[in-house]
Amino acid sequence: MKFKFFVITTLLCSFLLKAQVGINTTSPKASLDIEVSNSSSPNRDDGILIPRIDNFSTIEPGPDQDGMLVFLTGNGTPAKGFYYWDTVSSKWIPLIKTRHYIGELYGGGIVYYVDTDGEHGLIASLSDLGGGPVAWGLYGVDVSNCESYLDGATNTASIITAGGQAGEAAGLCNNYVSGSFTDWYLPSLIELRQMATALVTINPILKNDGNPLTNPIDVGGTSSTSGFYWSSTEANPNYAKIHIFTSFDSNSQQKSQGNSRVRAVRSF
């Protein structure tokens, strides 16, 4: 009797282990087969919810999790979307690569430049910082490692290290926080010029978004300094580079003069 019970139990367990699982169906056609209530008129909750997380775990998954799927909400650092774990490369790989575009409200600001792959680029703050024209600061100081026309992040870090103040051009950007992002900086001259090429797209969006806290780039007015914006590119101990959006020209401005505006940027 005990032997017969053992045989029946073993066969039953074997069947259960090999059985296919069906949800809303008694005839599953795969290891897991989920059918909706009505394929032509489904309910709003017909689907599968993949685990939703704000950030990846600080402890990397192991080989047993190769291919594990999660959904990033976009409320953390990684971009919103589905990701799977690839053990070989030890990376989370996006299922669909996001292609960003000029004029997109993203990353705490507005995208004004994208690479050819659409994944990386530059973001401008949604408004000028400091409430109006400010000084660059550090007049008479030769800031080391601050002459780059391309690398505004390094320029800004050098200015802060040399004693740039919170109310001055680089300090305003360094302390700026938007969309929970803190990696803003004063753009280099080329990064500032690149913003000018996107004005026809980004300025109407910033002007017509209905938000009084967002403002377009200053491109005109009666003031002789309208459209003047500081770059982080130092010209010499007394002058730094500016870009003039009204004339689409660049020049040097005395660091101590508070007649140029500040627009923070960050890269992604």
Side-chain angles (χ1 to χ4, degrees):
M1 185 66 180
K2 290 183 177 179
F3 177 76
K4 290 183 178 179
F5 179 78
F6 175 78
V7 172
I8 293 173
T9 303
T10 301
L11 290 174
L12 181 60
C13 290
S14 177
F15 171 76
L16 291 174
L17 289 173
K18 295 180 180 179
Q20 294 171 312
V21 177
I23 298 178
N24 295 332
T25 177
T26 58
S27 303
K29 301 175 181 63
S31 297
L32 176 62
D33 185 0
I34 304 174
E35 290 195 3
V36 297
S37 55
N38 187 324
S39 60
S40 61
S41 181
N43 294 327
R44 67 176 185 175
D45 56 355
D46 281 330
I48 300 173
L49 274 178
I50 301 299
R52 293 166 289 182
I53 57 178
D54 293 338
N55 290 290
F56 296 123
S57 171
T58 55
I59 302 175
E60 290 187 350
D64 290 341
Q65 287 77 46
D66 192 27
M68 182 170 67
L69 184 66
V70 296
F71 178 75
L72 270 294
T73 63
N75 295 324
T77 302
K80 186 175 184 178
F82 290 97
Y83 293 77
Y84 72 90
W85 175 253
D86 179 41
T87 295
V88 175
S89 62
S90 295
K91 291 181 180 179
W92 286 100
I93 308 296
L95 287 184
I96 301 176
K97 293 183 177 180
T98 302
R99 292 191 64 85
H100 297 282
Y101 57 91
I102 294 174
E104 178 185 9
L105 297 174
Y106 169 74
I110 187 168
V111 177
Y112 73 92
Y113 170 78
V114 290
D115 289 341
T116 54
D117 60 7
E119 291 186 67
H120 305 286
L122 293 169
I123 299 170
S125 59
L126 297 174
S127 188
D128 293 341
L129 276 56
V134 300
W136 198 90
L138 298 178
Y139 180 79
V141 177
D142 187 4
V143 181
S144 61
N145 202 24
C146 188
E147 298 82 22
S148 176
Y149 280 70
L150 296 171
D151 188 357
T154 296
N155 288 345
T156 300
S158 298
I159 295 168
I160 299 303
T161 299
Q165 299 298 302
E168 296 168 343
L172 288 167
C173 297
N174 187 63
N175 294 329
Y176 183 60
V177 179
S178 179
S180 76
F181 295 99
T182 60
D183 56 345
W184 300 88
Y185 58 89
L186 185 64
S188 67
L189 184 59
I190 297 299
E191 290 171 320
L192 200 53
R193 284 178 176 175
Q194 191 67 49
M195 197 181 301
T197 66
L199 280 181
V200 68
T201 300
I202 66 173
N203 258 14
I205 295 172
L206 294 174
K207 181 180 180 181
N208 301 315
D209 65 352
N211 186 347
L213 299 179
T214 64
N215 293 287
I217 305 295
D218 177 32
V219 293
T222 58
S223 172
S224 60
T225 58
S226 291
F228 283 26
Y229 280 83
W230 285 116
S231 81
S232 59
T233 305
E234 184 183 53
N236 58 53
N238 297 330
Y239 286 81
K241 294 291 184 178
I242 63 170
H243 186 70
I244 307 170
F245 283 84
T246 51
S247 61
F248 295 94
D249 193 13
S250 299
N251 210 328
S252 294
Q253 182 76 44
Q254 195 174 85
K255 293 178 179 180
S256 59
Q257 290 187 343
N259 54 12
S260 293
R261 297 176 180 273
V262 173
R263 182 72 59 145
V265 305
R266 60 181 297 269
S267 61
F268 67 95

